[in-house]
Amino acid sequence: MTSSLPERAGRRCHNLLNPLHSAHYFAPDLGRELAAVGIEDPSAAYFAVRAAAMGEVGAGVVTATFFNFRYERVAEHVPAVWETAAPAVVLAARERVVDASLRRLLGEELIGAKEVAEAAELALRATEACVRIARPLYAAHADLPVPATPHLALWHAATLLREHRGDGHLAVLLDAGLDPVEALVSHTATGKGMSPKWVLATRGWTRDDWDAASERLRERGLLDGAGELTAAGVSLRKEIEAATDRLDLAPYEHLGATGVERLTELATGLVTTMLAAGAFPAGMVGKG
């Protein structure tokens, strides 16, 4: 599909919408609200809030759709978490988390500003061109109702766009011949992925898993002895992003160049405010 948009315009827009979706995973509100419904373990809370739209799924479905978690880590919490709180209960708690965290990070004045309503309208318009086929996490969230308030509607739209791109990205990683740990190692080597320390603490993989994946990438000529991407590795990661862009083009083409530019501008202002308010933990991204 040939794009009428400026190069990487859709990716830039996505990269600014994604923090609007993901900030709630790191909010103190998540632990409070999930503990209130009986889910106290942080990993269980994450798996529950992200998977709840799919219903009472098991560890296999969560591992398949989340991609970069070790199955055994997922199975520690899923499906047992649904015995503690049903998906509908988790979804209601998640909405309270998102509401509280966005109000704190953006402030009440900005939450009620016309710019948030405009961003929500534009992002929802973009989702009209998303497709459910072969995109399970997107499809599950697309079946949920759009919240009535603008800041929650914006979060919902950002979630749809994030999971739509993410589902397509997994297909590209498989086509590139990267398993979950290889994908993590190569992404970290770009300097834009999660730090090894953060990956190992949250995804269930061990240092041995990381080192073995690094060795496989070296054998393919994608990683050098110092753990940096080779020219071939840089090229592969660029093609992965370009292929993901192609699979995720429809929402942004539907919105059009002017709409994408405006949504990117609005999201830039919102995310800048969120980052200044400490939306994400330090040290999460990087090679170290």
Side-chain angles (χ1 to χ4, degrees):
M1 180 178 179
T2 302
S3 176
S4 63
L5 301 175
E7 187 177 5
R8 293 189 294 274
R11 190 194 308 178
R12 285 192 295 272
C13 191
H14 160 79
N15 287 344
L16 286 159
L17 291 171
N18 189 35
L20 288 167
H21 156 77
S22 59
H24 76 288
Y25 296 130
F26 307 95
D29 315 276
L30 181 65
R32 183 185 68 249
E33 292 291 350
L34 270 292
V37 298
I39 303 173
E40 297 184 353
D41 184 279
S43 292
Y46 173 80
F47 294 138
V49 296
R50 193 170 176 210
M54 295 187 290
E56 293 189 13
V57 294
V61 172
V62 172
T63 303
T65 52
F66 288 17
F67 186 77
N68 61 18
F69 287 83
R70 189 185 187 100
Y71 173 83
E72 289 79 7
R73 170 62 65 85
V74 179
E76 290 174 9
H77 306 289
V78 179
V81 69
W82 309 128
E83 297 175 8
T84 301
V89 173
V90 172
L91 288 172
R94 181 179 68 171
E95 184 165 301
R96 294 192 296 272
V97 172
V98 173
D99 180 50
S101 62
L102 287 179
R103 287 181 186 279
R104 186 182 65 259
L105 293 170
L106 295 176
E108 291 294 337
E109 183 176 351
L110 185 52
I111 282 288
K114 66 182 188 307
E115 287 81 4
V116 170
E118 182 185 0
E121 190 273 330
L122 289 168
L124 287 168
R125 191 188 311 163
T127 68
E128 294 170 354
C130 292
V131 295
R132 287 179 169 83
I133 299 168
R135 286 181 164 91
L137 266 176
Y138 161 75
H141 285 87
D143 283 345
L144 300 178
V146 178
T149 54
H151 67 290
L152 293 179
L154 174 59
W155 177 84
H156 176 76
T159 299
L160 295 182
L161 292 167
R162 183 263 174 271
E163 300 296 11
H164 187 268
R165 183 180 179 88
D167 286 338
H169 184 62
L170 301 190
V172 176
L173 291 174
L174 290 175
D175 186 58
L178 295 177
D179 68 24
V181 191
E182 293 164 356
L184 288 165
V185 171
S186 61
H187 190 210
T188 294
T190 68
K192 299 177 181 179
M194 291 184 292
S195 69
K197 181 180 180 180
W198 188 268
V199 170
L200 299 181
T202 61
R203 266 50 184 172
W205 306 108
T206 66
R207 173 53 69 174
D208 286 344
D209 294 324
W210 185 274
D211 292 344
S214 298
E215 181 59 31
R216 292 193 297 273
L217 293 173
R218 280 192 286 271
E219 291 173 355
R220 289 178 60 180
L222 301 174
L223 209 65
D224 66 19
E228 300 292 335
L229 291 174
T230 63
V234 170
S235 178
L236 178 62
R237 289 302 317 192
K238 285 183 177 178
E239 177 50 35
I240 285 170
E241 293 304 320
T244 302
D245 289 346
R246 290 192 291 272
L247 290 179
D248 193 41
L249 186 58
Y252 303 100
E253 282 287 342
H254 179 68
L255 188 55
T258 300
V260 169
E261 181 180 10
R262 178 57 175 161
L263 180 55
T264 301
E265 177 186 10
L266 292 167
T268 297
L270 296 173
V271 170
T272 299
T273 300
M274 291 171 63
L275 293 177
F280 298 95
M284 187 174 67
V285 175
K287 298 181 182 181

